[in-house]
Amino acid sequence: VLAELRGVENLMVDMLTDPDWVLAKLAELNRTFLTAYPRMLPLVTDEKGWSTYGFFMFRGPGKVGLVHCDTAALISEEMFRTFVVPFAREQCRALDWSLYHVDGPAALRTVDPLLEIEELTALQYTPGPQVPQGGDPRWYDLYRKIKAAGKRVMAVWIEPEEIQPLLDAVGPEGMYLMVNLVEERQIEQTARLIEPYR
């Protein structure tokens, strides 16, 4: 949000030249989030008390939300720990179910600091257009690492033929797959395929 308000280039310079100002503004934005979220929650909560975060298509009982920093790929791990982790932790504490969006291969260096956030529930990794998508075996170790830290995984852009190898390799527990299905026949086949993993 601060990058949108300030401009990405300006914010990158601010982090180096006036980090205290950046931290103060991030704290202010977090206070705004923590004030606004409870006001918005009734709009996305059903009669059973489940809330929904629409863009990433996930829902759960209680307070559900997305936590992210789309400029994370532009900063070092040390800067990520300073400028992102404390505020992400605070947001996760306010939520019952939190999903952090790791945006692209350049942001993979943020995974270790994120796994240290005890309150964070799940990580979602978007590989980006230049590399194989979420069902590719190259991401299996990443998913295993996330699960070993006690978090859940949202794996995205999975092709139907990648489901079984992925679940066999990393296990179905704690996995939420977003599968590219375009035909009704694929939906029925996928439903049958995943039944043994339920």
Side-chain angles (χ1 to χ4, degrees):
V1 172
L2 189 54
E4 289 292 323
L5 294 171
R6 182 81 175 109
V8 175
E9 296 86 355
N10 292 330
L11 180 59
M12 296 299 109
V13 172
D14 293 336
M15 287 180 174
L16 295 172
T17 61
D18 199 354
D20 291 339
W21 179 86
V22 174
L23 290 168
K25 291 302 170 189
L26 291 171
E28 185 179 338
L29 287 168
N30 246 27
R31 287 193 299 273
T32 302
F33 166 77
L34 295 172
T35 301
Y37 183 86
R39 295 179 185 175
M40 295 175 57
L41 188 60
L43 301 174
V44 295
T45 302
D46 65 17
E47 64 282 350
K48 295 179 183 176
W50 283 49
S51 63
T52 301
Y53 186 88
F55 186 75
F56 278 73
M57 296 180 276
F58 76 102
R59 62 188 306 260
K63 298 176 285 185
V64 169
L66 179 73
V67 182
H68 67 105
C69 174
D70 283 349
T71 56
L74 302 176
I75 60 177
S76 68
E77 182 180 328
E78 181 182 347
M79 293 176 81
F80 185 81
R81 288 179 182 278
T82 299
F83 293 106
V84 180
V85 169
F87 305 102
R89 180 178 284 115
E90 188 176 19
Q91 290 177 26
C92 292
R93 282 186 186 138
L95 299 166
D96 297 311
W97 300 95
S98 52
L99 174 70
Y100 188 96
H101 164 54
V102 179
D103 194 12
L108 283 173
R109 66 177 164 265
T110 67
V111 170
D112 285 341
L114 290 167
L115 294 179
E116 295 168 11
I117 301 175
E118 188 174 323
E119 300 86 350
L120 178 62
T121 310
L123 275 78
Q124 180 270 344
Y125 171 57
T126 300
Q130 289 83 23
V131 295
Q133 295 305 296
D136 191 87
R138 76 168 59 192
W139 309 123
Y140 292 177
D141 285 342
L142 173 65
Y143 300 151
R144 290 185 194 106
K145 179 179 187 174
I146 294 168
K147 290 174 64 173
K151 313 293 183 200
R152 292 167 175 84
V153 174
M154 177 189 275
V156 299
W157 306 117
I158 310 297
E159 296 301 326
E161 63 275 10
E162 295 173 323
I163 297 170
Q164 189 168 5
L166 170 60
L167 293 179
D168 286 346
V170 304
E173 301 81 12
M175 293 296 294
Y176 172 35
L177 307 183
M178 294 182 69
V179 182
N180 298 326
L181 301 172
V182 294
E183 299 175 4
E184 187 173 347
R185 154 185 77 76
Q186 289 179 310
I187 296 169
E188 293 166 358
Q189 290 171 345
T190 300
R192 287 192 298 273
L193 174 69
I194 63 168
E195 193 57 38
Y197 298 97
R198 295 171 77 75

